Amino acid sequence: MKTKLLTGVILLFLSSVCFAQESMPAAAVALNQAYAQAAKENKKVLLIFHASWCGWCKKMTASLNDPSCKKMFDDNYVTVYLDVLEHKGEESKENPGGLDVLKKYEAVDAGLPFWLILDAQGNTLATSAMPPAGSTTAKPSDNVGCPTDPNEVEYFIKVLKATSPLTDNDFAVIRKRFLLNRPAPQKAGTN
């Protein structure tokens, strides 16, 4: 009897430890860690809001982590992902408080991914909201998400130029990688 009770207690403990390791860190904790690292390493923070169901989020992550450009981003940015807007029943995948941070930037309806470049104090330097042609301001609904179209990629490059010491050669590599995400053109008569 004691063996069964002890085994039960151990299993309960182990399952709680496993659950604790799988739970998402609070948004404030993740951001504060990113700000501290950015200050220590003289970098900017690349904050990306994403969700597990979001295909464009996965393309953004794959592009940033592509071997051709990963070092460029790692050397200049502390990247932090906040999981938000998961489907009903999948809320455990979200960072607690992440939606509040997204609301702070008035970007709940902007689409995902939505990203910002912040300094080490949390001040916004740029966002993924690209001003429409002929305008100097943008709303969150002007979100480029994962840049793929040449205009979106050029906007992303402009943001990187303003927030990092990357070179023209680096930008050429980043440009080439992000343009690979463009959807293939459909042939006439296909859906």
Side-chain angles (χ1 to χ4, degrees):
M1 181 74 170
K2 287 183 182 181
T3 304
K4 286 184 179 180
L5 180 61
L6 183 58
T7 302
V9 169
I10 290 171
L11 288 174
L12 182 62
F13 173 75
L14 289 175
S15 66
S16 68
V17 169
C18 290
F19 178 76
Q21 290 174 343
E22 290 179 19
S23 65
M24 299 296 285
V29 170
L31 286 170
N32 286 334
Q33 288 174 344
Y35 297 144
Q37 182 181 348
K40 180 180 175 184
E41 298 175 6
N42 195 29
K43 296 179 181 180
K44 305 296 187 287
V45 173
L46 173 55
L47 170 58
I48 302 173
F49 294 95
H50 71 113
S52 66
W53 52 263
C54 172
W56 286 109
C57 299
K58 292 173 186 175
K59 287 179 187 257
M60 183 74 174
T61 301
S63 298
L64 295 172
N65 290 322
D66 186 285
S68 67
C69 24
K70 180 172 176 33
K71 184 171 175 15
M72 294 175 221
F73 286 101
D74 288 349
D75 286 352
N76 292 283
Y77 300 95
V78 175
T79 304
V80 60
Y81 295 91
L82 292 182
D83 197 300
V84 295
L85 304 173
E86 287 292 343
H87 293 301
K88 186 175 171 106
E90 299 291 322
E91 295 90 349
S92 65
K93 294 178 180 177
E94 294 180 3
N95 293 88
L99 185 58
D100 292 331
V101 178
L102 188 63
K103 286 177 182 176
K104 172 184 168 184
Y105 295 108
E106 300 175 357
V108 172
D109 297 320
L112 296 176
F114 184 82
W115 50 265
L116 301 99
I117 307 284
L118 308 165
D119 65 17
Q121 291 75 43
N123 299 307
T124 304
L125 303 176
T127 76
S128 56
M130 180 175 75
S135 178
T136 57
T137 60
K139 305 177 300 286
S141 59
D142 297 319
N143 180 25
V144 301
C146 176
T148 60
D149 148 311
N151 290 334
E152 295 170 346
V153 173
E154 290 311 312
Y155 173 73
F156 186 50
I157 297 295
K158 178 181 172 184
V159 166
L160 297 176
K161 281 182 180 181
T163 61
S164 75
L166 291 167
T167 67
D168 287 340
N169 288 338
D170 297 333
F171 297 130
V173 170
I174 293 167
R175 180 180 295 110
K176 180 179 178 181
R177 175 57 185 94
F178 275 85
L179 287 172
L180 290 175
N181 291 323
R182 287 188 77 187
Q186 289 189 344
K187 296 179 183 178
T190 62
N191 288 330

